[in-house]
């Protein structure tokens, strides 16, 4: 299961900050736990999150171990024009989860 | 995050026997209380409650979203999807989950929602039933239960169901395991008290499947029951056993009138 879930306002005002909420499914294995066999379970976390508006980065985060599974990230940004918002989560194995949304800007 | 040691468990119960925890009866809690019945939400930490309050913060909705996709995915030899027969889940599944576990006349058996979904897969789709606790079954259960959110739990308990209810009640008051504890010892006698980091509640089943922070995943009611039986140091009954079905029925009846709050968030 690889689900990504994003909430943004239906429309935002030009130049005014607004919040974006994101959730993604991922085990976020810390690399610090031992399995039933006594061996360390290898680290497997999302280490990078990026949000882009029309190709330009508006927010990014480097994630570290000790962040819960299925991480929730929210952030504020501003936009002067609407367009395509793209979200990307990249994990230690290079696997990507992605989500795309349309941003409407008025005023 | 580890399961607490059970000796310490019993000890803490004894020590914690002082003043009952004063409920913070906020406005927000009101819809999770009916008379003297309280759902687990009212015992949860405010930060946990706020996760449940927002469908875009509650990780359980990742499963709901997956369930929504599965709803219209054709599978099995009949080449059918749930949507082919049931149309929009928002309409066909509305308030359905609040009536489960439910007696199935055709097979002469009590079924919970998971079993009912799998019965459709087997009989109507000619598809393999989903395994207990599999991501797909959890996802579909969450999606179906969500269509009952806010609806009062109202299981039928007469007729052929009655002996199941009686057995469920018997099991609830029966002492289990090396610690010799019944469900009621924890969930009635010590309702509202702290057992180490756990705030003991009334064992209401209206929030399942639940996003359990300790497990970092969505869990079924039966998963929770297996954990609770193990906490008494008893050998747990297997998934789908008559014991859990009857307990599920009794829990639902005890919580009659409480709103379905799936997918809930619990510690």
């Amino acid at each position: 299961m690889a689900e990504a879930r994003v909430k943004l306002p239906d429309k935002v005002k030009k130049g005014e900050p607004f919040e974006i909420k994101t959730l993604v499914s991922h085990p976020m294995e810390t690399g610090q736990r031992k399995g039933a066999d006594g061996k360390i379970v290898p680290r497997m976390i999302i280490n990078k999150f990026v949000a882009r508006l029309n190709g330009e980065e508006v927010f990014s985060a480097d994630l570290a171990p000790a962040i819960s599974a299925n991480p929730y990230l929210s952030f504020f940004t501003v936009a002067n024009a609407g367009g395509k918002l793209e979200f990307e989560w990249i994990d230690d194995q290079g696997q990507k989860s992605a989500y795309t949304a349309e941003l409407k800007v008025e005023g | 995050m580890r399961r607490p040691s059970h000796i310490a468990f019993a000890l803490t119960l004894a020590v914690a026997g002082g003043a009952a925890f004063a409920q913070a009866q906020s406005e927000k809690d009101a819809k999770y209380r009916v008379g003297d019945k309280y759902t687990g939400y009212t015992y949860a930490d405010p930060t946990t409650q706020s996760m449940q309050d927002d469908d875009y913060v509650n990780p359980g909705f990742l499963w709901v979203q997956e369930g929504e996709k599965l709803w219209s995915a054709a599978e099995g030899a009949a080449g059918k999807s749930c949507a082919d027969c049931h149309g929009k889940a928002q309409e066909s599944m509305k308030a359905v989950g609040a009536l489960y576990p439910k007696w199935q006349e055709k097979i002469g058996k009590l079924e919970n929602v998971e079993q009912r979904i799998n019965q459709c897969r087997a009989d109507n789709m000619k598809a393999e039933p989903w395994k207990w606790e599999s991501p797909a079954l959890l996802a579909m259960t969450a999606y179906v239960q969500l269509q009952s959110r806010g609806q009062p739990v109202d299981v039928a308990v007469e007729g052929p169901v009655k002996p199941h209810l009686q057995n469920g009640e018997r099991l609830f008051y029966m002492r289990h395991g090396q610690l010799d504890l019944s469900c009621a010892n924890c969930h009635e006698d010590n309702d509202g008290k702290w057992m180490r980091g756990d705030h003991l509640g009334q064992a209401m089943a209206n929030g399942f499947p639940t996003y359990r922070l300790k497990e970092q995943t969505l869990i079924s009611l039966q998963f929770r029951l297996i954990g609770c039986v193990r906490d008494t140091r008893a050998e747990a009954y297997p998934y789908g056993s008559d014991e859990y079905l009857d307990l599920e029925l009794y829990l639902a009846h005890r919580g009659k009138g409480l709103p379905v709050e799936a997918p809930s968030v619990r510690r």
Side-chain angles (χ1 to χ4, degrees), chain B residues 92-166:
Chain B
S92 64
M93 292 295 136
K94 191 171 160 61
V96 163
L99 310 181
Y100 275 73
K102 189 170 155 188
W103 184 256
Q104 306 295 326
E105 203 55 59
K106 219 167 79 183
I107 52 172
K109 207 180 159 301
L110 189 67
E111 272 187 341
N112 66 11
V113 173
E114 286 93 336
Q115 289 169 316
R116 188 64 190 85
I117 291 169
N118 267 335
Q119 198 194 322
C120 265
R121 280 182 66 81
D123 297 353
N124 295 323
M125 298 167 75
K126 310 284 175 229
E128 276 289 304
W130 282 316
K131 290 204 172 67
W132 287 103
E133 226 56 29
S134 62
L137 184 56
L138 285 169
M140 186 57 78
T141 309
Y143 185 57
V144 169
Q145 287 302 88
L146 178 67
Q147 315 309 327
S148 297
R149 191 159 65 167
Q151 299 288 333
V153 172
D154 187 17
V155 285
V157 292
E158 292 305 322
V161 183
K162 202 159 190 181
H164 291 277
L165 183 74
Q166 286 163 344

Side-chain angles (χ1 to χ4, degrees), chain A residues 48-103:
Chain A
K48 185 95 192 161
F49 170 74
V50 191
R52 297 185 188 87
L53 176 58
N54 297 324
E56 195 189 322
E57 186 174 306
V58 291
F59 180 86
S60 77
D62 293 328
L63 279 69
I67 290 175
S68 73
N70 312 309
Y72 167 74
L73 284 171
S74 87
F75 59 95
F76 286 83
T77 188
V78 289
N80 289 319
K84 196 160 107 177
L85 261 173
E86 290 170 292
F87 305 87
E88 210 170 69
W89 296 258
I90 305 157
D91 74 14
D92 287 340
Q93 292 180 352
Q95 283 184 352
K96 287 180 187 173
S97 291
Y99 189 94
T100 310
E102 200 55 36
L103 180 71

Side-chain angles (χ1 to χ4, degrees), chain B residues 42-76:
Chain B
T42 64
Y43 298 78
D45 187 89
T47 56
T48 307
Q49 292 182 339
S50 67
M51 284 178 85
Q52 183 176 323
D53 291 341
D54 185 336
D55 294 354
Y56 287 88
V57 179
N58 179 352
F61 273 81
L62 292 166
W63 278 260
V64 168
Q65 222 174 256
E66 170 84 2
E68 188 176 3
K69 286 182 192 158
L70 291 169
W71 181 259
S72 44
E75 253 196 89

